[in-house]
């Protein structure tokens, strides 16, 4: 692909972005405003839905280009891993340098490390004629899931400066007090 000119359907990419990113956001915000009790009722299920969706997206992307991933070698693996690792580190330390609290910095680190490679894979599949354009985001989606999940698990149990825990561990600790 290096040095090759690839035609890009900008309108198609914009429409896909609206369908995959904006529409669910608008739908979710609208539901929170109009049926908050329904949203509150399903919110406890969202972590499980997120994990299952991530597994399906990773598995699907990798399965579609598995032979090409194997022939791509370690260079592509290192590049994808570093993209997500450095994204997470920079997301965390960028917030710290801007004076944000620990929870905000951790959230930014996780969110930055998990910028959606699955979306990149979808765009490559739908809008780029060259099959090889799918391989880098398929590799990246694996590293995105591994690094983002690892950061979340590690930070979940690490107390912040005031000694409190974050996430589900804090919720469990609070329930045990009752």
């Amino acid at each position: 692909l290096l040095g090759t000119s690839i035609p890009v359907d900008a309108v198609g990419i914009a429409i896909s972005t609206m369908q995959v990113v904006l529409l669910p956001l608008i739908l979710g915000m609208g539901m929170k405003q109009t049926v908050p009790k329904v949203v509150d009722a399903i919110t406890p299920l969202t972590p499980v839905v997120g994990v299952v969706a991530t597994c399906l997206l990773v598995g699907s992307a990798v399965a579609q280009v598995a032979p090409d991933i194997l022939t791509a070698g370690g260079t592509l693996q290192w590049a994808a891993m570093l993209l997500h690792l450095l994204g997470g580190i920079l997301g965390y330390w960028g917030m710290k340098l801007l004076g944000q609290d620990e929870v905000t910095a951790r959230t930014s680190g996780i969110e930055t490390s998990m910028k959606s490679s699955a979306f990149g894979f979808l765009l490559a599949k739908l809008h780029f004629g060259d099959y090889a354009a799918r391989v880098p985001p398929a590799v990246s989606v694996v590293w995105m899931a591994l690094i983002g999940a690892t950061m979340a698990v590690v930070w979940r149990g690490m107390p912040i400066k005031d000694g409190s825990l974050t996430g589900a561990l804090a919720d469990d600790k609070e329930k045990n007090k009752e």
Side-chain angles (χ1 to χ4, degrees):
L1 289 177
L2 190 61
T4 305
S5 178
I6 300 173
V8 176
D9 177 11
V11 173
I13 290 175
I15 290 170
S16 292
T17 301
M18 286 187 273
Q19 291 171 334
V20 174
V21 178
L22 294 179
L23 187 61
L25 283 172
I26 292 167
L27 181 64
M29 291 186 304
M31 286 180 64
K32 184 65 175 170
Q33 289 294 327
T34 58
V35 287
K37 289 181 181 177
V38 172
V39 173
D40 292 342
I42 63 173
T43 296
L45 302 173
T46 57
V48 173
V49 172
V51 169
V52 171
T54 299
C55 291
L56 292 172
L57 288 168
V58 170
S60 172
V62 170
Q64 291 180 47
V65 293
D68 297 298
I69 290 173
L70 293 173
T71 59
T75 304
L76 182 57
Q77 296 294 331
W78 277 102
M81 187 262 307
L82 286 173
L83 170 73
H84 296 287
L85 183 63
L86 292 175
I89 291 168
L90 292 172
Y92 174 83
W93 285 107
M95 290 296 106
K96 294 301 267 184
L97 290 172
L98 291 172
Q100 297 297 317
D101 62 48
E102 183 69 12
V103 173
T104 301
R106 289 180 183 189
T107 301
S108 177
I110 292 166
E111 288 297 323
T112 306
S113 75
M114 294 195 70
K115 285 302 123 199
S116 188
S117 302
F119 184 54
F121 181 82
L122 177 67
L123 291 178
K125 181 178 178 179
L126 294 176
H127 301 289
F128 292 88
D130 192 341
Y131 175 83
R134 300 177 191 181
V135 177
V139 170
S140 183
V141 78
V142 174
W143 286 107
M144 173 198 72
L146 289 172
I147 290 172
T150 300
M151 291 173 78
V153 167
V154 167
W155 278 334
R156 179 180 179 193
M158 290 176 61
I160 54 177
K161 283 188 180 178
D162 68 2
S164 65
L165 296 171
T166 59
L169 291 180
D171 296 341
D172 291 344
K173 191 174 182 180
E174 196 62 35
K175 285 178 187 173
N176 289 336
K177 285 182 182 178
E178 298 171 351

